[in-house]
Amino acid sequence: MVLRVSPFPNGFVAGIHAIGWALIVPCFWYLDRVIAVCKSTTKERKERQEEECYLHPLKVFFGSIFFFIFFLLTAPLAFLGFLLWAPLQACRRPFSYHRVELTSAERETNRGFEQTGKASFTFASANLCLLPDSLARFNNLGHTQQRAYEIGKRIAKSVVRPNVIITVESPSSCGPVSPSDSIIPRACSDTDGGLEGQSQPTGDHRSEPTESSASSDDAEEPLTEPSSSQLNYNENSNKQGQSDNKSPAVLFSQRIRRQDEEPWEVSPFFPANIDILCLEEVFDKRAAKKLTNTLKPLFGHILYDVGVYACQPPCRCSAFKFFNSGLFMASRFPVLEAQYHWFPNSRGEDALAAKGLLSTKVLIGQNQKQKKVVGYFNCTHLHAPEGEGKIRCDQLDMVTRWIGEFQAAHKQPDEEVVFDVLCGDFNFDNCSPDDVLEQNHSLFEEYRDPCRAEAGKEKPWVIGTLLEQPSLYEEDVNSPEMLQRTLVTEEVRKQYISPPVPKQGVPLVYPEPGQPWIGRRIDYILYRETSISKLCRTELEEVTFISQLAGLTDHIPVGLKLKVSMNGDYNDE
């Protein structure tokens, strides 16, 4: 089955919807600017210290009046557009789909799994806080359109970099070490150019495109680019490497890992050759479009604008959704099936967005017995406010049930499942006393969390993924290389990573004597082995904490690499 591109059943309905939305957008934009002009980020306040003191108050006063007047002038058109737009949400599929048809050569690379029976799959997840500019500023992040464009460029640069495999023999008595991915950043021109080609192979050999170009309305000045002189670390947070002062033009990965060592690293890059990318809080439609345009030459299959709008359920005013779910999924593999559910139990400001679960089934290729090889990929974003663990637990119950129903409905006898992954922003961690209820949920009995030692206790190398918003632009965390160095040093890291949340009325004693300080890790990538084919054996290759989006979001992206081996001699009963 091939998904249709448009979320509407026919072009006529899509056209009426586009007209309605075009009438709404000007009014919405002016309202956004009314608020944004009055709210500054810490970076902007610091930059204004060099200006004359009277300039900013004048800008706020006249700017807010100007935008408010135009908001009032465009409000009647917006109301007319709303009357066209809102009723059509009842017949809208809850996501848009972009796909690029593969060439015959690329179809051959999809069948590499058929020849070897082995493959590595790489996943990444990141919360981008791409809200309308005015709302993003309450998280100390502004310039949503610029950030979306820059985030797309940085991810694209990382995904296409070469991936060199080196096997190192240890000179000490510890014996051989495991294979290590080494990184050789290629020099990139500062001039924006188009990505070569409009489709990508899904195998290991991929051509390297140049930077993505923006459309005419994206011509905004790019934010700070990551330096090509960046180190990879894979060392205990109590040990700082001596390579901090080095800045070679070409760098290999510094990590040399023993066979019994946890496979993790802190990297200034997204993993090379990501197979499926999940992004959260891509609420802004223009930002989603920018990401799609930048990433589509690398990921041929993208689901965006995921979620429902207006009255939900349709024709009832019990819950009005102003924003979609914010979920965004980019895949190298064709999407065979996709289904979205929204959480009906959201409260407060979270109820304004259609947060929920996106479940997909992707086609990998064929195995040695000519059976289809598929994978399941699920992404979600749970309830945000602290102290409301019961709501999140109920949502985890829904996630577990919906995933089971989706897989049962779309399971075919002539296919083999090689991975079942669940990722997203769960909005709770595994170290806060306030999150005990969620930490003990049965979901973690089904899905494996590679960072989790047990309920309420992280593995000692975990660093946390939630940054403190007031300090996003401090020197220690405002660039990929500086954030990377900060994350691997415990004493510095604790100044910028959000600490565990105490239980109400109970003083927090953290960490326990002799234990490392670990911040809040609310971004997860989990995988399940019980639901995949009996032919398959899964091995964890690496967990990555990614610093590449420093200064662009208040979360630290995470990556997961799984090695899957399929036994072709297995006889089904």
Side-chain angles (χ1 to χ4, degrees):
M1 178 181 177
V2 178
L3 297 177
R4 71 173 189 269
V5 173
S6 173
F8 295 99
N10 57 65
F12 176 77
V13 176
I16 297 299
H17 180 271
I19 293 172
W21 182 245
L23 293 174
I24 294 173
V25 166
C27 181
F28 179 83
W29 188 83
Y30 285 123
L31 177 61
D32 183 52
R33 300 318 303 163
V34 168
I35 302 172
V37 76
C38 301
K39 182 69 176 177
S40 301
T41 65
T42 56
K43 182 180 180 180
E44 292 169 338
R45 289 197 290 268
K46 185 176 180 180
E47 292 171 348
R48 280 202 306 270
Q49 291 177 356
E50 301 176 359
E51 299 180 2
E52 297 293 337
C53 61
Y54 59 83
L55 293 181
H56 180 65
L58 288 176
K59 177 183 175 182
V60 171
F61 179 75
F62 288 108
S64 57
I65 292 177
F66 175 82
F67 289 124
F68 185 70
I69 290 173
F70 276 90
F71 164 71
L72 294 178
L73 292 176
T74 55
L77 286 177
F79 180 72
L80 178 61
F82 178 81
L83 295 180
L84 295 174
W85 173 84
L88 295 180
Q89 303 310 308
C91 61
R92 176 186 174 272
R93 184 188 61 187
F95 56 83
S96 295
Y97 178 44
H98 168 84
R99 70 170 181 264
V100 174
E101 294 297 333
L102 298 179
T103 65
S104 58
E106 291 167 337
R107 290 193 181 97
E108 283 295 324
T109 61
N110 275 339
R111 292 200 290 268
F113 199 75
E114 174 184 345
Q115 300 171 2
T116 64
K118 297 180 181 179
S120 291
F121 299 100
T122 306
F123 312 94
S125 177
N127 184 312
L128 304 184
C129 196
L130 292 177
L131 290 153
D133 191 42
S134 58
L135 300 182
R137 289 173 177 273
F138 288 92
N139 288 352
N140 201 23
L141 291 162
H143 307 289
T144 294
Q145 305 308 317
Q146 278 186 303
R147 286 193 298 115
Y149 175 57
E150 184 67 18
I151 287 168
K153 285 205 310 179
R154 293 192 186 185
I155 294 174
K157 283 183 177 180
S158 287
V159 170
V160 299
R161 77 181 192 273
N163 192 20
V164 181
I165 307 298
I166 296 179
T167 302
V168 182
E169 291 290 331
S170 172
S172 66
S173 59
C174 15
V177 297
S178 60
S180 172
D181 297 342
S182 295
I183 299 170
I184 312 175
R186 293 185 180 178
C188 296
S189 170
D190 291 336
T191 304
D192 291 338
L195 285 167
E196 297 175 2
Q198 290 299 314
S199 57
Q200 80 295 330
T202 55
D204 292 330
H205 304 286
R206 303 181 175 100
S207 60
E208 179 178 0
T210 58
E211 291 182 23
S212 171
S213 61
S215 57
S216 58
D217 62 340
D218 299 344
E220 297 152 326
E221 181 181 357
L223 304 180
T224 305
E225 291 283 350
S227 169
S228 62
S229 303
Q230 297 164 335
L231 298 177
N232 270 15
Y233 291 78
N234 185 19
E235 47 194 79
N236 188 281
S237 59
N238 294 324
K239 299 179 181 179
Q240 176 71 21
Q242 298 179 353
S243 56
D244 287 69
N245 297 323
K246 299 179 183 179
S247 183
V250 177
L251 292 168
F252 287 89
S253 174
Q254 298 287 312
R255 58 191 179 91
I256 299 179
R257 190 170 62 237
R258 301 181 185 181
Q259 290 179 339
D260 58 347
E261 187 179 0
E262 295 283 0
W264 71 279
E265 73 171 347
V266 179
S267 171
F269 302 101
F270 275 81
N273 299 331
I274 294 175
D275 292 299
I276 304 181
L277 172 68
C278 172
L279 304 175
E280 300 89 46
E281 290 198 13
V282 186
F283 290 112
D284 188 274
K285 286 188 174 186
R286 292 172 60 209
K289 201 65 178 176
K290 285 182 171 64
L291 284 173
T292 300
N293 291 336
T294 307
L295 298 177
K296 67 183 180 182
L298 306 172
F299 299 93
H301 305 271
I302 298 177
L303 299 180
Y304 63 99
D305 196 13
V306 179
V308 293
Y309 294 96
C311 297
Q312 297 298 327
C315 303
R316 292 173 57 187
C317 295
S318 56
F320 192 93
K321 303 299 180 183
F322 289 90
F323 301 104
N324 60 27
S325 70
L327 298 175
F328 180 105
M329 187 191 115
S331 171
R332 294 187 185 273
F333 305 119
V335 180
L336 299 177
E337 305 284 353
Q339 189 175 66
Y340 163 81
H341 293 275
W342 60 279
F343 297 128
N345 65 336
S346 298
R347 294 181 185 173
E349 66 272 17
D350 259 31
L352 302 177
K355 289 184 177 180
L357 171 75
L358 175 65
S359 297
T360 63
K361 177 182 176 181
V362 298
L363 175 64
I364 310 301
Q366 291 182 320
N367 66 3
Q368 295 172 347
K369 292 185 177 181
Q370 305 302 306
K371 282 189 173 184
K372 282 198 303 184
V373 176
V374 302
Y376 290 111
F377 186 81
N378 311 277
C379 43
T380 190
H381 189 184
L382 301 184
H383 192 67
E386 295 177 2
E388 298 187 0
K390 180 62 170 61
I391 293 178
R392 281 186 287 273
C393 279
D394 291 341
Q395 291 179 349
L396 288 175
D397 289 338
M398 297 178 206
V399 165
T400 304
R401 185 177 75 252
W402 290 336
I403 290 176
E405 292 172 353
F406 175 79
Q407 295 183 5
H410 299 292
K411 184 178 181 180
Q412 301 294 331
D414 62 336
E415 62 188 20
E416 305 289 354
V417 180
V418 293
F419 62 76
D420 180 359
V421 171
L422 169 63
C423 69
D425 181 352
F426 288 11
N427 275 312
F428 67 86
D429 59 63
N430 194 39
C431 59
S432 292
D434 193 50
D435 293 335
V436 170
L437 196 61
E438 303 98 299
Q439 294 162 6
N440 288 276
H441 194 273
S442 59
L443 175 89
F444 295 101
E445 298 174 6
E446 297 186 32
Y447 282 88
R448 180 183 173 189
D449 181 358
C451 299
R452 171 186 171 111
E454 59 185 52
K457 182 179 181 181
E458 299 278 51
K459 292 182 179 178
W461 45 265
V462 174
I463 61 173
T465 64
L466 184 61
L467 293 167
E468 292 278 46
Q469 292 172 354
S471 58
L472 289 178
Y473 306 105
E474 296 292 331
E475 184 178 359
D476 286 337
V477 294
N478 68 356
S479 68
E481 60 270 28
M482 290 303 297
L483 177 57
Q484 179 196 34
R485 293 172 181 176
T486 295
L487 294 178
V488 298
T489 310
E490 182 177 316
E491 288 303 314
V492 183
R493 181 176 71 229
K494 65 172 63 175
Q495 302 175 38
Y496 300 101
I497 299 291
S498 294
V501 180
K503 201 169 186 63
Q504 188 173 9
V506 180
L508 177 65
V509 179
Y510 186 85
E512 296 179 358
Q515 296 297 316
W517 189 93
I518 296 173
R520 300 197 69 198
R521 178 180 63 94
I522 65 175
D523 300 274
Y524 292 74
I525 305 183
L526 316 177
Y527 65 98
R528 180 163 60 177
E529 296 175 290
T530 56
S531 58
I532 66 175
S533 170
K534 295 179 181 178
L535 295 168
C536 294
R537 181 174 60 86
T538 301
E539 178 184 347
L540 176 65
E541 284 200 38
E542 191 166 63
V543 175
T544 309
F545 298 95
I546 303 159
S547 65
Q548 191 170 17
L549 302 186
L552 299 176
T553 180
D554 55 350
H555 286 243
I556 296 170
V558 292
L560 177 72
K561 188 174 184 180
L562 296 177
K563 182 178 181 180
V564 178
S565 302
M566 179 170 284
N567 180 9
D569 297 329
Y570 183 90
N571 293 318
D572 293 320
E573 295 181 0

